[in-house]
Amino acid sequence: MNYFKGRFKFILAGIVLFLFVILITGIGGKTKTNNKKPAEVKSAQTEVAAPVISDSPTVSILSDKQPAEVLKVIDGDTIAVSINGQKQTIRIIGINTPETVDPRKTVECFGAEASNKAKEYFKDMEYKVWLKEDSTQGDRDKYQRLLRYVFSDKGAQDYGLMMIKTGYAYEYTYNIPYKYQAIYKDAQIYAQNNKLGFWADDACSTTSQVTGSAASKVPGYGKSVEGDKDCSDFKTQKEAQDFFISQGGPASDPHKLDQDKDGVACESLP
């Protein structure tokens, strides 16, 4: 009888030990599995959030601009575009380039270079541009051309600013200051100081060198002019403004075309 009692106790102890081992193993495995879950969830959340962050700048850049396709470069400051299938001529706000197509004038110094620069630029951008209005300048000029800033690279790059900063255009204020006037003027100073484009000493044989950082210099600057000029000698304000700039602009104005000294010559002209 004692033999069976001892054997029963031995078997019972073995069963208890076996169950204890199973219990310990189960708890350990469960704990290991739980440790992985927070890392996996965190990784998944990061992967979902990333595209939302990267998309936000593009939406902001394009929110105030209209897409268009360049059909033709007329010159450095004027282009023809297609907007929703309709052809429009764009006069770019804030810049002016030497004349190449005005029948009343000969091709001005650096005009061909500025025009070619524009053609190459828009070709590189696959003729895709974004247009931006400026309420201070109105919708159209007297020739019924749309007045717009022109951007490329999905609205991120300002074409007019690029042309001024590289010396292929100069800053141009028509009657009323525009939104980017201060930025464009700074870009012109940069081009002048670094003698880029038509600001280079040898850019034009008819352009005399101007000393002094505040001096203005555009194609034709320094040309001798016979007699004093008045606003009545010009047909348009643009023509008077071009002459005004070529003779030194606000820093000089030997012909007194800017009576109120606001940088705009012969404001009474059409």
Side-chain angles (χ1 to χ4, degrees):
M1 189 71 174
N2 291 332
Y3 170 78
F4 287 108
K5 285 184 179 180
R7 187 169 183 80
F8 176 77
K9 289 181 180 180
F10 177 79
I11 294 172
L12 182 61
I15 292 172
V16 170
L17 179 62
F18 177 76
L19 291 175
F20 180 77
V21 171
I22 291 175
L23 180 63
I24 295 298
T25 305
I27 293 173
K30 188 174 181 181
T31 304
K32 186 176 181 181
T33 302
N34 286 340
N35 287 339
K36 290 183 178 180
K37 286 184 178 179
E40 292 171 354
V41 172
K42 184 177 180 181
S43 176
Q45 290 174 341
T46 303
E47 290 174 2
V48 171
V52 177
I53 296 172
S54 63
D55 286 345
S56 57
T58 302
V59 174
S60 176
I61 290 171
L62 298 178
S63 61
D64 60 347
K65 300 178 181 68
Q66 183 179 32
E69 179 184 359
V70 177
L71 300 176
K72 180 182 179 181
V73 173
I74 298 172
D75 59 22
D77 55 41
T78 309
I79 59 176
V81 303
S82 174
I83 305 174
N84 296 325
Q86 293 187 340
K87 183 178 179 180
Q88 296 283 356
T89 301
I90 307 297
R91 177 58 172 89
I92 300 167
I93 299 171
I95 72 171
N96 207 10
T97 58
E99 293 290 347
T100 59
V101 295
D102 192 332
R104 299 169 301 174
K105 300 179 181 179
T106 58
V107 175
E108 293 180 345
C109 170
F110 226 76
E113 289 86 346
S115 182
N116 290 335
K117 175 70 172 179
K119 291 175 182 177
E120 292 172 4
Y121 178 87
F122 291 120
K123 181 180 179 181
D124 290 342
M125 297 298 167
E126 299 179 342
Y127 304 105
K128 295 177 181 179
V129 294
W130 284 260
L131 310 175
K132 182 176 180 178
E133 301 180 22
D134 188 334
S135 59
T136 67
Q137 303 303 299
D139 188 54
R140 296 179 183 268
D141 66 6
K142 62 182 178 180
Y143 302 110
Q144 294 305 303
R145 300 177 296 188
L146 287 174
L147 296 171
R148 298 288 188 271
Y149 300 105
V150 175
F151 291 82
S152 62
D153 191 18
K154 295 183 179 180
Q157 187 173 139
D158 185 339
Y159 165 77
L161 180 63
M162 180 279 298
M163 288 290 281
I164 295 174
K165 196 169 184 177
T166 54
Y168 286 91
Y170 57 90
E171 187 279 327
Y172 179 67
T173 300
Y174 181 80
N175 205 4
I176 300 174
Y178 53 95
K179 182 176 181 179
Y180 299 135
Q181 185 188 59
I183 299 173
Y184 282 15
K185 285 181 177 292
D186 286 343
Q188 179 163 306
I189 292 173
Y190 173 86
Q192 286 177 281
N193 291 343
N194 290 277
K195 298 184 178 182
L196 302 176
F198 56 59
W199 303 104
D201 294 337
D202 58 351
C204 305
S205 59
T206 58
T207 303
S208 61
Q209 184 174 351
V210 181
T211 57
S213 59
S216 295
K217 174 185 173 184
V218 298
Y221 189 101
K223 264 189 171 181
S224 60
V225 177
E226 295 183 4
D228 184 47
K229 292 288 186 180
D230 298 313
C231 289
S232 59
D233 295 317
F234 306 97
K235 294 181 180 180
T236 66
Q237 192 278 331
K238 182 181 184 304
E239 186 179 345
Q241 184 75 12
D242 289 345
F243 178 81
F244 168 67
I245 296 296
S246 74
Q247 298 302 300
S252 179
D253 193 18
H255 299 275
K256 303 294 187 288
L257 300 178
D258 180 19
Q259 294 295 329
D260 57 4
K261 301 187 184 303
D262 64 349
V264 182
C266 301
E267 295 175 70
S268 60
L269 290 176

